[in-house]
């Protein structure tokens, strides 16, 4: 038995039945990382000692006959923009190359309370800006399904780590698609929770009104386990909430015959790869075979979602990234040579000029421009109005249907280097994911087939705080594929 193949529940049962120890489980993953990370480059930092000591602790618990939680001893990977105390947190940027996190993010505190084993920190596009993980200052991650291709982004390291069995589950963050699109490219499950469902405390901020942390897992059931572990109101994040809906302790089962599924006509237009469209339509057909009623819905402002997203997210990023000034957060190569700076401005210019990569600079400039006097109304304010219209579109559609199905991405994983020199083409790969963030809704990417050997994900969008339901719908498709 290869221990790295196991799902969370299987690994948990193995630990409880003493078929293997937590130490053996963690070592199996560390060995795999040792062998394969050089090529895939999913991990930026591996915490071997810490992981082994955490695992040993679980073995002691088990030996003492203590009851362990479902995540106890389960090896996981954390996107490197989420703070884990005393471990480097780079956000994929040179500017934070030597930054050691002084505290745990709330999600990490929750995982540690459940005694999950943290194997290390995963690669990402710098400050989570990108769709391929090629914007990482430390080099790109490769897709385990085809190493000449990208894993998607920005949580590409987390998705590749799960797909390549370099961890049992991972956390990512999603501002405009960064959990769902890499999950789709890597053939794994990725859940973007409702805005506010999971605390953002300890997440390196990109666009605070859009950012959410969520799980990337091998199967749907695991996504539910991890989401249940990390969700909930946190007094350190005033935008976090407790779900209004009672989450029943139910199994992941649902009566499909009573459900109405919406297909937005604006999502099946020119620009989508015909092979991807075929796979997505095939998945939709499976739901009809299972008895769901399919209805066409309209989300009429979809075409404005991408420009609105790039204006709002870049505006917020330009404000959030102002803190990296070389003083509070160093680009320490310069910090230690203060005498060499001519003035305070020189500190800022050298730190930011050398510390940020091209894409981050592009977003800061775009955002600062959109927020500047004279342009604010024309860009930022207008984008906010579009955001309201997009929310209304979903509200209306959800009067008619219970769920919405769409592709996650217009193409399967593309080649490394294919889009990196053309930011607009890169932005287009977010066309099906950004609306969900603008509307604050939950959505999950479920593997639903392949184009050649490349996985394709189906996006299931639900009403706010209906994570449980969209996961149930996803499970139906997963079960269908297995039968
Ligand atoms: N690809 C999108 C961007 O570059 C989304 C990123 C994200 O969700 N973090 O903005």
């Amino acid at each position: 038995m290869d221990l790295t193949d196991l799902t969370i529940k299987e690994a948990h049962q193995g630990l409880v039945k003493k078929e293997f120890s937590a130490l053996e489980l963690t070592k199996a993953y560390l060995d795999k990382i040792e062998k394969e990370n050089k090529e895939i480059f999913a991990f930026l930092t591996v915490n071997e000692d810490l992981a082994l000591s955490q695992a040993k602790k679980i073995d002691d618990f088990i030996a003492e006959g203590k009851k362990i939680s479902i995540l106890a001893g389960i090896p996981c990977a954390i996107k490197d923009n989420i703070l884990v105390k005393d471990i480097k947190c780079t956000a994929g940027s040179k500017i934070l190359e030597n930054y050691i996190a002084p505290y745990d993010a709330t999600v990490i505190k929750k995982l540690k309370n459940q005694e999950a084993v943290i194997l290390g920190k995963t690669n990402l596009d710098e400050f989570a800006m990108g769709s391929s993980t090629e914007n990482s200052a430390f080099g790109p991650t490769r897709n385990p399904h085809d190493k000449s291709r990208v894993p998607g982004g920005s949580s590409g390291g987390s998705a590749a780590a799960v797909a390549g069995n370099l961890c049992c589950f991972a956390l990512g963050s999603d501002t405009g698609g960064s959990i769902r699109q890499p999950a789709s490219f890597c053939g794994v499950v990725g859940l973007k929770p409702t805005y506010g469902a999971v605390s953002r405390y300890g997440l390196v901020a990109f666009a605070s009104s859009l950012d959410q942390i969520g799980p990337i897992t091998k199967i749907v059931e695991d996504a539910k386990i991890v989401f249940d572990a990390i969700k909930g109101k946190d007094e350190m994040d005033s935008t976090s909430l407790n779900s209004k809906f009672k989450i029943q302790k139910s199994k992941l089962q649902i009566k499909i015959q009573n459900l109405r599924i919406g297909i937005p006509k604006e999502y099946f237009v020119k620009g989508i790869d015909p092979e991807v469209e075929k796979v997505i339509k095939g998945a939709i057909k499976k739901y009809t075979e299972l008895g769901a009623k399919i209805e066409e819905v309209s989300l009429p402002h979809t075409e404005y979602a991408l420009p609105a997203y790039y204006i709002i997210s870049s505006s917020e990023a330009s404000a959030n990234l102002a803190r990296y000034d070389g003083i509070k957060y160093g680009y320490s190569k310069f910090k230690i040579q203060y005498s060499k700076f001519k003035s305070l401005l020189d500190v800022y210019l050298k730190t930011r000029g050398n510390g940020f990569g091209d894409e981050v600079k592009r977003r800061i400039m775009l955002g600062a421009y959109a927020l500047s006097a004279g342009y604010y109304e024309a860009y930022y304010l207008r984008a906010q109005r579009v955001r309201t219209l997009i929310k209304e579109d979903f509200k209306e559609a959800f009067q008619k249907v219970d769920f919405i199905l769409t592709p996650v991405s217009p193409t399967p994983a593309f080649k490394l280097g294919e889009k990196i020199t053309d930011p607009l083409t890169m932005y287009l790969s977010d066309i099906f994911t950004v609306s969900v963030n603008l509307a604050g809704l939950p959505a999950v990417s479920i593997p639903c087939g392949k184009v050649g050997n490349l996985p394709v994900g189906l996006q299931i969008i639900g009403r706010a705080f209906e994570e449980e339901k969209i996961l149930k719908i996803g499970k139906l498709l997963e079960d269908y594929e297995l039968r």
Side-chain angles (χ1 to χ4, degrees), residues 271-307:
I272 168 167
D273 179 326
E275 295 284 313
V276 169
E277 185 167 352
K278 215 161 97 195
V279 172
I280 297 293
K281 293 221 160 124
I284 294 171
K285 191 154 163 272
K286 287 170 192 160
Y287 282 109
T288 36
E289 277 173 35
L290 292 170
K293 286 178 210 64
I294 305 283
E295 264 188 56
E296 188 178 87
V297 292
S298 175
L299 299 168
H301 298 93
T302 300
E303 65 174 304
Y304 307 111
L306 207 57

Side-chain angles (χ1 to χ4, degrees), residues 3 6-8 11-12 14-16 20-27 29 51-59 61-62 68-76 111-119 168-169:
L3 297 183
L6 303 178
T7 65
I8 294 177
H12 172 73
L15 289 173
V16 171
F20 46 82
S21 69
L23 210 54
E24 284 165 333
L25 183 63
T26 294
K27 277 191 179 149
Y29 279 107
L52 291 172
S53 70
Q54 281 177 306
K56 179 138 193 332
K57 201 165 124 193
I58 302 307
D59 284 335
F61 282 166
I62 295 171
I68 58 166
S69 87
I70 180 91
L71 289 178
I74 307 296
C76 65
L111 290 183
K112 283 185 176 172
N113 283 345
Q114 289 220 21
E115 310 286 353
V117 170
I118 296 174
L119 294 168
C168 188
F169 72 91

Side-chain angles (χ1 to χ4, degrees), residues 79 128-131 153-154 173-178 206 309-310 363 430:
K79 187 177 181 180
M129 296 173 188
S131 310
S154 64
S173 69
D174 191 314
T175 305
S178 280
F206 164 10
Y309 166 79
Y310 273 93
R363 306 274 180 121
D430 306 326

Side-chain angles (χ1 to χ4, degrees), residues 278-343:
K278 215 161 97 195
V279 172
I280 297 293
K281 293 221 160 124
I284 294 171
K285 191 154 163 272
K286 287 170 192 160
Y287 282 109
T288 36
E289 277 173 35
L290 292 170
K293 286 178 210 64
I294 305 283
E295 264 188 56
E296 188 178 87
V297 292
S298 175
L299 299 168
H301 298 93
T302 300
E303 65 174 304
Y304 307 111
L306 207 57
Y309 166 79
Y310 273 93
I311 289 172
I312 293 169
S313 63
S314 303
S315 299
E316 293 184 21
S318 75
N320 273 328
L321 270 58
R323 74 191 70 173
Y324 305 103
D325 57 5
I327 296 168
K328 290 193 289 295
Y329 297 91
Y331 176 37
S332 41
K333 211 152 117 198
F334 291 96
K335 213 175 166 185
I336 47 178
Q337 302 174 333
Y338 265 110
S339 56
K340 296 219 168 121
F341 291 117
K342 291 195 235 43
S343 62

Side-chain angles (χ1 to χ4, degrees), residues 362-420:
R362 189 176 294 124
R363 306 274 180 121
I364 293 174
M365 285 191 282
L366 200 71
Y369 183 83
L371 289 175
S372 59
Y375 294 104
Y376 178 87
E377 284 81 6
Y379 293 104
Y380 183 74
L381 208 62
R382 220 158 147 208
Q384 289 290 24
R385 293 201 173 115
V386 170
R387 183 175 189 171
T388 305
L389 293 172
I390 287 169
K391 270 190 206 161
E392 294 294 320
D393 283 356
F394 277 106
K395 220 164 139 190
E396 197 142 310
F398 279 124
Q399 309 255 321
K400 287 215 292 190
V401 296
D402 301 296
F403 305 93
I404 291 176
L405 299 183
T406 80
V408 172
S409 168
T411 65
F414 43 87
K415 293 258 186 205
L416 280 141
E418 192 180 316
K419 301 193 179 182
I420 195 71

Side-chain angles (χ1 to χ4, degrees), residues 91-111:
S93 181
K94 255 200 314 184
I95 214 161
L96 290 177
E97 200 170 8
N98 299 313
Y99 176 67
I100 307 285
Y103 61 91
D104 278 327
T106 298
V107 291
I108 298 301
K109 227 182 245 164
K110 291 189 173 197
L111 290 183

